[in-house]
Amino acid sequence: MSNTRILVVLTGANTWTMKSGKLHPTGFWAEEFIKPHKTFVAAGFDVHIATPGGRRPVVDPLSLSLGYNDNDQKSVDDQQAYIDAQDALKSTLVLGDINPADYDAIFTVGGHGPMQDLAVDPDLSRIINGILDDPKKVYATVCHGPASLLSVFDKDGNWLFKGRNVTGFSNEEENQATFAGDAPWLLEDRLRLAGANYVKLEPWTPHVVVDGNLITGQQQVSSQAVADAILKRLQELGVGQ
């Protein structure tokens, strides 16, 4: 797959505005970037990274906390080192400049940041429409990354994902993560209300939903499974071969 080009989209937000008005520190979730990025690089993909406005992305501090990493300091250190080594994170592409025709796949990373910016990003509708219009291309996202789907409408103003099978961070998971009470809205609720066929498993169970050239993962522990599903789908499509 050495000719395969993939764009990784990251949030440009470093805070999430809560219902109370509190600004919660956020960004992209480390594991959701690292595991897929490693997989794409190992597969020989040409990997690019973009953010809204080309802002330098920040990692969600919770994703590098011991509590979210089984109290394994080495795991935290290894993830931080991997992120620090990625020069592309220090100078990202501008999302608004992206031509979807240039890529075989686009993958949007989660973390609470996408709830702040990617859920309402004006450039994503054009980009995701351009990817999904081509059955030989793939759009994939994980955890809170499916907030990016909420901004995508067709030329007639219809939500692009009505009736499609999707997953993403569940209400139960948001409750267990202690954010549901002050969250301005919940991703599962919004996806259901918009008209998606939202499918979930028990909290913190790896879960990927593949609906044609749309791939979604439920939460951070689904990150590797989403990356693997992207590779499998591109192989089935004969991309890069």
Side-chain angles (χ1 to χ4, degrees):
M1 285 199 182
S2 58
N3 296 323
T4 303
R5 302 185 82 203
I6 188 165
L7 180 73
V8 176
V9 177
L10 296 175
T11 177
N14 57 19
T15 58
W16 179 29
T17 305
M18 309 303 288
K19 190 162 51 179
S20 63
K22 174 185 175 184
L23 297 180
H24 172 70
T26 189
F28 68 89
W29 200 265
E31 179 180 355
E32 296 171 28
F33 169 75
I34 293 170
K35 287 187 174 180
H37 190 267
K38 283 184 174 179
T39 300
F40 303 150
V41 171
F45 289 4
D46 182 8
V47 185
H48 298 178
I49 299 173
T51 62
R55 289 189 290 277
R56 183 168 177 172
V58 299
V59 63
D60 189 314
L62 273 183
S63 69
L64 293 176
S65 67
L66 286 172
Y68 276 92
N69 289 279
D70 299 321
N71 292 309
D72 184 345
Q73 186 63 53
K74 183 178 185 304
S75 174
V76 171
D77 293 344
D78 288 348
Q79 290 179 78
Q80 184 67 69
Y82 187 87
I83 290 169
D84 290 344
Q86 305 308 311
D87 288 339
L89 289 173
K90 299 165 188 172
S91 181
T92 60
L93 300 175
V94 176
L95 192 59
D97 292 343
I98 295 299
N99 181 355
D102 293 339
Y103 295 94
D104 300 294
I106 294 180
F107 169 64
T108 297
V109 176
H112 280 117
M115 303 280 279
Q116 183 77 13
D117 61 355
L118 298 184
V120 294
D121 191 276
D123 297 308
L124 274 177
S125 185
R126 173 184 60 82
I127 293 168
I128 296 176
N129 265 292
I131 282 287
L132 293 181
D133 276 349
D134 187 337
K136 296 201 73 170
K137 294 178 183 283
V138 171
Y139 183 72
T141 183
V142 66
C143 197
H144 289 90
S148 63
L149 306 180
L150 296 170
S151 64
V152 186
F153 297 85
D154 66 19
K155 64 182 183 301
D156 297 318
N158 301 307
W159 190 54
L160 198 63
F161 302 97
K162 187 172 184 178
R164 296 198 70 169
N165 301 316
V166 304
T167 191
F169 208 64
S170 70
N171 290 353
E172 293 98 323
E173 287 162 335
E174 204 72 85
N175 270 302
Q176 291 179 22
T178 74
F179 291 108
D182 200 20
W185 48 273
L186 300 177
L187 181 58
E188 176 184 338
D189 288 347
R190 281 288 176 92
L191 290 171
R192 290 186 185 278
L193 286 168
N197 178 28
Y198 175 88
V199 186
K200 63 183 175 183
L201 294 184
E202 289 300 308
W204 319 114
T205 304
H207 178 49
V208 176
V209 173
V210 179
D211 184 341
N213 57 349
L214 172 66
I215 298 171
T216 51
Q218 186 169 325
Q219 71 307 79
Q220 70 269 26
V221 296
S222 305
S223 301
Q224 186 62 57
V226 169
D228 293 341
I230 294 169
L231 263 63
K232 181 181 178 183
R233 184 62 179 161
L234 290 173
Q235 288 169 348
E236 290 170 350
L237 294 170
V239 175
Q241 297 176 5

